[in-house]
Amino acid sequence: MACAVKSLLGSLSRVATPLYGAAAAAAAAARTSQAWTPLVTSVRHRYHWQKMKKGPLLKNYGQNDILHNKGLMPHIEHHKRLPIPLYRPKNNWAEKRALFGQNDYIDILGPGNLHPTKTAYSVPAWLRGFKGNEYQMLLRKKKLFGQQMAIYRPSKRREMDKRIVWLYKYLNFKTKDYMWKKA
């Protein structure tokens, strides 16, 4: 047992003590002479023609794409052409198109008893003639319909309240008002 410990300590002392000068050179020569292996860099294709000899590079091999991603979309379904809808021109004299913008100048050209906000039929009544930003419009809507929305459309009311809070913070902290002056 003592013999094994001495040999182990001897080998450790040889590893632990650094070699200087000629001893270091001799140890390095002994290591290199035992097993010298040259540095080899592998080259898959030395020349381009060697690479081209194997054929085109295969990408996504074995994967079948079900989506069509090359060029225009084909109008083919189950090897049949899809029907193209017939061209039907718009009826320019339909009531909706014929009367579009008829009340634009009623206040100028008319007798004077009609106001343009009274003739804005497609706008909700609570928004006719309203002038202001989104925050003011939402406050007006909440004042008029807040109780009904809380009962019948609670998620819409919650979204409106969140938008009001966001706009309040933005308008008060991120924008300059007319009181700001350049220094």
Side-chain angles (χ1 to χ4, degrees), residues 94-104:
E95 185 180 0
K96 179 181 172 183
R97 290 186 189 88
L99 301 178
F100 179 76
Q102 70 173 352
N103 295 322
D104 288 353

Side-chain angles (χ1 to χ4, degrees), residues 146-177:
Q147 297 296 325
Q148 294 173 5
M149 286 178 82
I151 296 168
Y152 298 112
R153 305 186 77 185
S155 58
K156 200 76 166 172
R157 164 77 188 258
R158 194 175 323 110
E159 289 171 8
M160 185 175 70
D161 287 341
K162 284 198 287 190
R163 184 69 181 160
I164 288 172
V165 168
W166 188 90
L167 285 168
Y168 175 81
K169 289 178 184 174
Y170 178 79
L171 291 171
N172 281 315
F173 300 117
K174 302 285 187 197
T175 59
K176 294 182 179 180
D177 60 358

Side-chain angles (χ1 to χ4, degrees), residues 85-157:
L86 294 173
Y87 172 70
R88 290 191 179 96
K90 293 178 186 173
N91 181 7
N92 289 330
W93 292 106
E95 185 180 0
K96 179 181 172 183
R97 290 186 189 88
L99 301 178
F100 179 76
Q102 70 173 352
N103 295 322
D104 288 353
Y105 296 105
I106 202 162
D107 58 333
I108 299 169
L109 302 173
N113 58 358
L114 265 181
H115 196 269
T117 57
K118 302 262 192 242
T119 60
Y121 307 117
S122 60
V123 178
W126 62 277
L127 272 182
R128 286 184 196 158
F130 171 73
K131 197 183 242 183
N133 58 26
E134 183 187 2
Y135 176 68
Q136 294 163 341
M137 185 262 303
L138 287 174
L139 286 178
R140 182 180 173 116
K141 186 176 181 179
K142 184 177 179 182
K143 184 178 177 183
L144 290 172
F145 303 114
Q147 297 296 325
Q148 294 173 5
M149 286 178 82
I151 296 168
Y152 298 112
R153 305 186 77 185
S155 58
K156 200 76 166 172
R157 164 77 188 258

